[in-house]
Amino acid sequence: MPEAIEKVAIQVNVNGKRHSLSVEPRTLLVEMLREPLDLTGTHVGCDTTYCGACTVLLNGAAVKSCTVLAVQADGAEIVTVEGLEQNGQMHPIQKAFGDAYGLQCGYCTPGIMLSALQLLTKNRQLTEKEMRKAIAGNTCRCTGYQNILKAIQLAAQSMKGV
Ligand code: FES
Ligand code: FES
């Protein structure tokens, strides 16, 4: 009989809620988010750290959660797309993606919004180059990116007073 893999106890704060979990050392952060925590808005689009569909914020930094082990997130604050809405109100970046038609199939959208949000927390006077750089690790196969850039710019404007 194969030996059971010993699990590791970790604590994470996801979207403002603390969780104590027991994970295998090989469990990926994206697996932990999607399976025990049922936060399926974090997507998996590849297995090569390429597409960025799995992007979340880890202590404020946009990371590809398919490339981070769950144990590496022990003690961390994580934000997924489900954490953007507050008190039933869409986050300005969610609203901007709708208003600027920044998505088609939507598969890439959670990851792109979180990559953009990392930029928007530091800078709201954005150049096109800065926006393109912020989402360089996120692939969109539908939109051609123009409306994504418009959506990020729109979010920057609506977040200026926030
Ligand atoms: S699933 Fe594609 S980069 Fe993570
Ligand atoms: S909207 Fe379909 S992949 Fe980006």
Side-chain angles (χ1 to χ4, degrees):
M1 211 165 103
E3 256 181 62
I5 295 172
E6 206 174 312
K7 294 200 171 178
V8 180
I10 62 167
Q11 294 211 335
V12 285
N13 183 316
V14 184
N15 301 331
K17 230 168 132 185
R18 282 176 74 84
H19 298 273
S20 298
L21 297 155
S22 178
V23 296
E24 292 185 2
R26 64 184 174 178
T27 301
L28 299 173
L29 179 57
V30 68
E31 294 169 335
M32 184 198 85
L33 293 169
R34 290 181 55 86
E35 287 163 33
L37 299 185
D38 201 25
L39 295 169
T40 53
T42 302
H43 295 156
V44 179
C46 70
D47 56 6
T48 54
T49 317
Y50 174 74
C51 74
C54 62
T55 303
V56 298
L57 295 182
L58 181 71
N59 293 330
V63 299
K64 293 180 176 180
S65 61
C66 72
T67 312
V68 177
L69 293 168
V71 291
Q72 291 175 294
D74 187 21
E77 304 232 342
I78 298 161
V79 178
T80 71
V81 69
E82 290 88 349
L84 295 180
E85 179 191 305
Q86 296 289 319
N87 305 319
Q89 299 291 316
M90 278 196 286
H91 187 284
I93 197 152
Q94 292 176 300
K95 193 159 179 330
F97 268 74
D99 291 347
Y101 303 101
L103 68 151
Q104 288 182 28
C105 79
Y107 202 81
C108 67
T109 313
I112 292 192
M113 288 195 296
L114 289 163
S115 291
L117 201 54
Q118 176 187 235
L119 173 67
L120 287 167
T121 53
K122 294 186 232 145
N123 180 6
R124 292 182 190 158
Q125 296 280 31
L126 304 174
T127 63
E128 182 174 337
K129 196 171 169 193
E130 286 166 330
M131 291 189 286
R132 287 191 182 277
K133 191 170 170 206
I135 60 165
N138 297 83
T139 301
C140 175
R141 301 215 182 268
C142 306
T143 64
Y145 297 94
Q146 287 308 320
N147 285 1
I148 290 176
L149 299 178
K150 283 185 196 157
I152 298 171
Q153 197 63 264
L154 190 59
Q157 281 159 17
S158 53
M159 288 170 74
K160 267 189 188 143
V162 180

